[in-house]
Amino acid sequence: MRTSGKLWIGKSAGEVIQGENSFDIIRYFLSFAVLVGHFRVITGIPYYFPMSSVDAVHGFFILSGFLVFYSYMRNPDIRHYTERRTRRILPPYVFIVTLCWMGGVLVSTLPVGEYLFSAQLWKYIAANYSFLNFIEPALPGCFQGEAVNGSLWTMKVEILLYITVPIVYYLMKKFRPFPVFIVIFIFSTLYNELFYYLNEKTGNEIFGILKRQVGGQLLYFYSGTLVLLCFDYFRRYIKFLFPVAVLVCYFRYDVPLLIYVEPLAFAVVLIGCAYYIKWFVFMRKFGNVAYGIYLFHFPVIQLSIWLGINEKSHILCFAFCVAGTLLLSILSWLLLEKPILSNRMFSSK
């Protein structure tokens, strides 16, 4: 692949990017980090995992910035790009939202009729189908008024990041990549600093929520893209970049200035592992259900609390959550995601 600008990846790098990699196992690792993080918060059971759920979400944004931007570069056609993103993201998302509100009638403390005609239910349906989950995260009479699926907030961020890709691609071709990246990184850094300051100053959690939205995640998404565009240099200097990046990630909270380069360092670590740890390349032969794990685990954990499994055994509760999540994810992949991805049912061709 050859495009204008010194930072664009070259043809040889493009061939490497399409070659053997271990992105699948990284996706599983990130998904289980989110699962364990939410399990710990919801149940109060202190299970340990070597990565926080917050870092895992950032990791997903980095992988998207690398892989989705590369996909668009290979075929910068808006119609094709929209179709591919829609087929990948939308079906399992609609499935879990539907499953939750339909299944809610079985766990709700309200009578069936009152549940089905509740204004809160219809507000939930409208908000969650439109990716505005924060408007109504709970179902009437379910789980003591807590969020049914607290993982879904990232989906609107992911979609907004996808929308930026054609715009940023155009700007990079028009003005060259480096100045565009400078603007993106400065904007996202200032955005994070502003809402962090407002949250600390006022104590109002709305500012913390705004900090986590698309403006704050541009740093991570486009850190993945920057590694992509500099892939020739990345390959050449990975032996030096990787240990430095690991140290930056490890000491980021001890040395305040490191927090500003942590997104790029994290991108180097994740993408470096994907291409230079070859033990899990074989997993590319199988369908990846990491997206399903991310989408389905939260309501399964809530269900385990409703069933009281956590009160009987912590180990049994965790096993139930993992097994239930995997079962739903595999069924979703086999019966929904894989058929849709292999059949261009959204295609106009």
Side-chain angles (χ1 to χ4, degrees):
M1 179 183 300
R2 296 185 183 280
T3 51
S4 60
K6 292 182 179 180
L7 288 179
W8 295 113
I9 60 175
K11 183 177 180 181
S12 60
E15 293 170 352
V16 172
I17 288 170
Q18 296 180 70
E20 293 184 341
N21 61 69
S22 298
F23 279 115
D24 283 347
I25 191 64
I26 292 175
R27 291 190 185 99
Y28 280 120
F29 181 83
L30 297 176
S31 295
F32 273 101
V34 176
L35 186 156
V36 174
H38 285 155
F39 180 83
R40 184 169 57 240
V41 170
I42 297 172
T43 66
I45 301 172
Y47 270 58
Y48 171 77
F49 199 82
M51 178 179 286
S52 72
S53 59
V54 174
D55 285 337
V57 169
H58 291 161
F60 277 121
F61 288 139
I62 286 169
L63 296 188
S64 291
F66 184 89
L67 296 169
V68 173
F69 205 93
Y70 179 68
S71 175
Y72 186 78
M73 286 177 67
R74 291 181 64 195
N75 185 0
D77 177 81
I78 297 292
R79 194 172 183 177
H80 175 78
Y81 174 71
T82 303
E83 177 198 322
R84 286 177 61 87
R85 292 299 94 210
T86 300
R87 285 192 290 125
R88 185 66 192 102
I89 294 296
L90 200 57
Y93 177 86
V94 171
F95 171 67
I96 189 58
V97 171
T98 304
L99 184 64
C100 283
W101 73 259
M102 292 183 68
V105 72
L106 301 175
V107 302
S108 177
T109 57
L110 301 179
V112 174
E114 188 176 343
Y115 174 86
L116 292 175
F117 291 98
S118 167
Q120 184 182 7
L121 171 64
W122 294 100
K123 186 178 179 182
Y124 175 90
I125 291 172
N128 283 267
Y129 281 141
S130 59
F131 296 94
L132 301 176
N133 321 86
F134 63 92
I135 293 177
E136 185 51 80
L139 284 167
C142 297
F143 308 131
Q144 299 181 329
E146 295 181 358
V148 177
N149 196 339
S151 297
L152 299 186
W153 71 269
T154 63
M155 298 310 300
K156 67 178 178 302
V157 177
E158 186 86 1
I159 289 170
L160 290 172
L161 289 169
Y162 291 164
I163 291 172
T164 69
V165 168
I167 300 169
V168 171
Y169 178 80
Y170 168 79
L171 292 174
M172 287 181 179
K173 292 193 72 175
K174 186 175 180 64
F175 299 108
R176 304 179 70 83
F178 188 69
V180 175
F181 270 109
I182 291 295
V183 172
I184 291 172
F185 281 29
I186 290 176
F187 168 79
S188 191
T189 300
L190 292 176
Y191 180 97
N192 274 299
E193 289 295 316
L194 172 63
F195 286 107
Y196 175 80
Y197 170 79
L198 292 174
N199 187 31
E200 291 291 308
K201 188 75 172 178
T202 66
N204 192 334
E205 180 55 25
I206 187 62
F207 296 118
I209 294 172
L210 288 171
K211 180 181 180 295
R212 296 193 295 268
Q213 301 310 306
V214 64
Q217 306 306 334
L218 287 168
L219 269 171
Y220 291 94
F221 188 88
Y222 283 103
S223 287
T225 304
L226 183 57
V227 173
L228 167 70
L229 299 185
C230 298
F231 204 78
D232 280 328
Y233 300 101
F234 175 78
R235 291 172 61 201
R236 189 180 307 166
Y237 300 112
I238 185 62
K239 292 181 179 179
F240 306 102
L241 292 173
F242 190 85
V244 172
V246 170
L247 290 173
V248 168
C249 292
Y250 187 81
F251 290 108
R252 58 187 157 155
Y253 297 121
D254 300 312
V255 183
L257 289 178
L258 293 182
I259 201 71
Y260 297 107
V261 294
E262 179 267 339
L264 187 56
F266 195 14
V268 169
V269 171
L270 285 182
I271 298 167
C273 288
Y275 284 105
Y276 296 97
I277 298 179
K278 300 294 183 70
W279 305 327
F280 301 100
V281 169
F282 70 92
M283 295 186 69
R284 297 185 68 190
K285 299 177 182 178
F286 310 103
N288 190 290
V289 298
Y291 179 43
I293 292 171
Y294 182 85
L295 287 180
F296 303 144
H297 74 276
F298 203 101
V300 173
I301 297 172
Q302 290 285 38
L303 182 62
S304 73
I305 302 298
W306 182 79
L307 292 171
I309 301 175
N310 61 310
E311 298 175 359
K312 299 175 182 177
S313 168
H314 291 178
I315 296 175
L316 181 62
C317 183
F318 185 72
F320 173 86
C321 293
V322 172
T325 300
L326 284 174
L327 177 61
L328 278 174
S329 302
I330 292 169
L331 289 175
S332 174
W333 171 256
L334 293 176
L335 302 178
L336 183 65
E337 298 169 60
K338 185 178 179 180
I340 288 175
L341 289 171
S342 60
N343 177 19
R344 292 178 171 272
M345 61 189 302
F346 292 109
S347 178
S348 58
K349 294 181 179 179

